[in-house]
Amino acid sequence: MGSKRGALIIFEGLDRIGKTTQSKLLCDYLSQDCNIRCERLAFPDRTTQIGGLIDAYLQRKIECNDRTIHLLFSANRWECMDSMRAKLLRGDTLIVDRYAYSGVAFSQAKGLDKTWCQSCDVGLIKPDLVLYFHRGKQANCLSYTGEERYETKHFQEEVETCFEQFRSSSHQWKDINVINADNNQMRNRETIQEEIRSYVKDTLKNLKSNDLEELWK
Ligand code: FDM
């Protein structure tokens, strides 16, 4: 699985679908069992000043219009690019919970134009692997408490429609791999993790170039 630079691996999908659990399991597996230097990150990164504003917005402590908050989510990714690039180039693999795809789907679900939503993320570091967590039709409904701004069943359904439209209509999604995230007797946590590991192993094995490409260019 050796390569000079690390891989950028993105986990995408709705809230509460299992991305956090699975990305932590993957990170532990890569670092402990495969001896691969690896770090887990998440967007929004709420630790920065911009991330603090996003956190306050999500917790309904401040209001912000839809375009402004979209740009803040994007700026929050851009402010992390230099450190992510440095880590990838020194060989660390980054496992990232959400990226520009959430940026588009969540803002489009509010009615913003998809092309406009994408434009501010053009040129971010292009992922080597994107795993989109999808629940099948038979899946139990995910439950949302409404604790944070977007955590309602209705809004998540709108977001899911945007993820699906984007995925089926855009060539930019052709490299996106769908993970069946139905957590039931047939597909437990371990089965889902095995599937993820197999994608990741292929990606690490096939990393050819040490260069980093740009997203949506
Ligand atoms: N979210 C996340 C967006 O609306 N745009 C973005 O660009 C990103 C990265 O923020 F509901 C939404 C998705 C989610 C909320 O994310 C907080 P986490 O993963 O629950 O912290």
Side-chain angles (χ1 to χ4, degrees):
M1 282 203 233
S3 167
K4 269 197 195 154
R5 77 161 166 91
L8 178 59
I9 299 167
I10 308 293
F11 281 39
E12 277 290 3
L14 297 184
D15 288 303
R16 309 185 70 83
I17 202 159
K19 298 185 303 304
T20 305
T21 308
Q22 291 293 346
S23 56
K24 284 183 177 163
L25 284 172
L26 177 66
C27 202
D28 290 347
Y29 167 72
L30 290 179
S31 47
Q32 288 161 22
D33 297 12
C34 308
N35 208 19
I36 289 173
R37 277 211 317 272
C38 162
E39 190 182 337
R40 181 183 168 278
L41 309 172
F43 288 115
D45 173 356
R46 304 187 194 215
T47 65
T48 69
Q49 278 188 325
I50 293 171
L53 286 173
I54 295 172
D55 183 54
Y57 170 80
L58 289 170
Q59 292 192 44
R60 299 191 184 83
K61 290 178 183 158
I62 58 168
E63 292 305 317
C64 202
N65 78 43
D66 291 344
R67 285 179 195 270
T68 308
I69 192 67
H70 179 84
L71 292 171
L72 288 176
F73 273 113
S74 176
N76 185 232
R77 284 183 280 279
W78 278 108
E79 67 179 338
C80 297
M81 281 306 110
D82 291 346
S83 85
M84 285 173 64
R85 180 173 294 104
K87 286 174 184 172
L88 289 165
L89 291 176
R90 74 170 184 228
D92 298 0
T93 281
L94 300 180
I95 297 167
V96 184
D97 199 335
R98 297 193 187 283
Y99 203 51
Y101 311 90
S102 278
V104 174
F106 278 77
S107 291
Q108 203 196 348
K110 294 169 163 180
L112 296 189
D113 175 67
K114 184 183 118 208
T115 309
W116 184 85
C117 291
Q118 268 186 278
S119 60
C120 43
D121 284 320
V122 171
L124 289 177
I125 301 171
K126 185 178 175 181
D128 298 294
L129 175 67
V130 183
L131 298 172
Y132 169 66
F133 282 49
H134 176 71
R135 49 184 190 153
K137 286 198 181 66
Q138 306 302 323
N140 292 336
C141 282
L142 300 171
S143 59
Y144 295 102
T145 57
E147 214 170 287
E148 285 207 331
R149 201 178 277 264
Y150 297 151
E151 291 188 346
T152 65
K153 187 166 179 290
H154 174 71
F155 187 65
Q156 295 285 324
E157 281 169 0
E158 298 287 323
V159 174
E160 185 165 49
T161 306
C162 294
F163 267 130
E164 291 302 322
Q165 276 173 4
F166 198 169
R167 195 162 68 79
S168 57
S169 68
S170 168
H171 69 280
Q172 279 138 350
W173 276 73
K174 73 177 183 331
D175 297 328
I176 292 180
N177 302 282
V178 180
I179 297 292
N180 173 352
D182 293 351
N183 209 330
N184 55 31
Q185 283 169 329
M186 302 291 290
R187 290 186 63 77
N188 56 26
R189 212 168 72 160
E190 289 69 33
T191 315
I192 296 171
Q193 178 65 200
E194 277 310 313
E195 192 178 330
I196 292 169
R197 288 179 191 175
S198 128
Y199 277 116
V200 170
K201 284 178 193 166
D202 280 353
T203 300
L204 293 174
K205 199 169 67 196
N206 295 327
L207 264 192
K208 289 198 184 75
S209 157
N210 264 329
D211 299 335
L212 294 167
E213 290 180 50
E214 294 178 304
L215 182 67
W216 294 332
K217 269 200 171 169

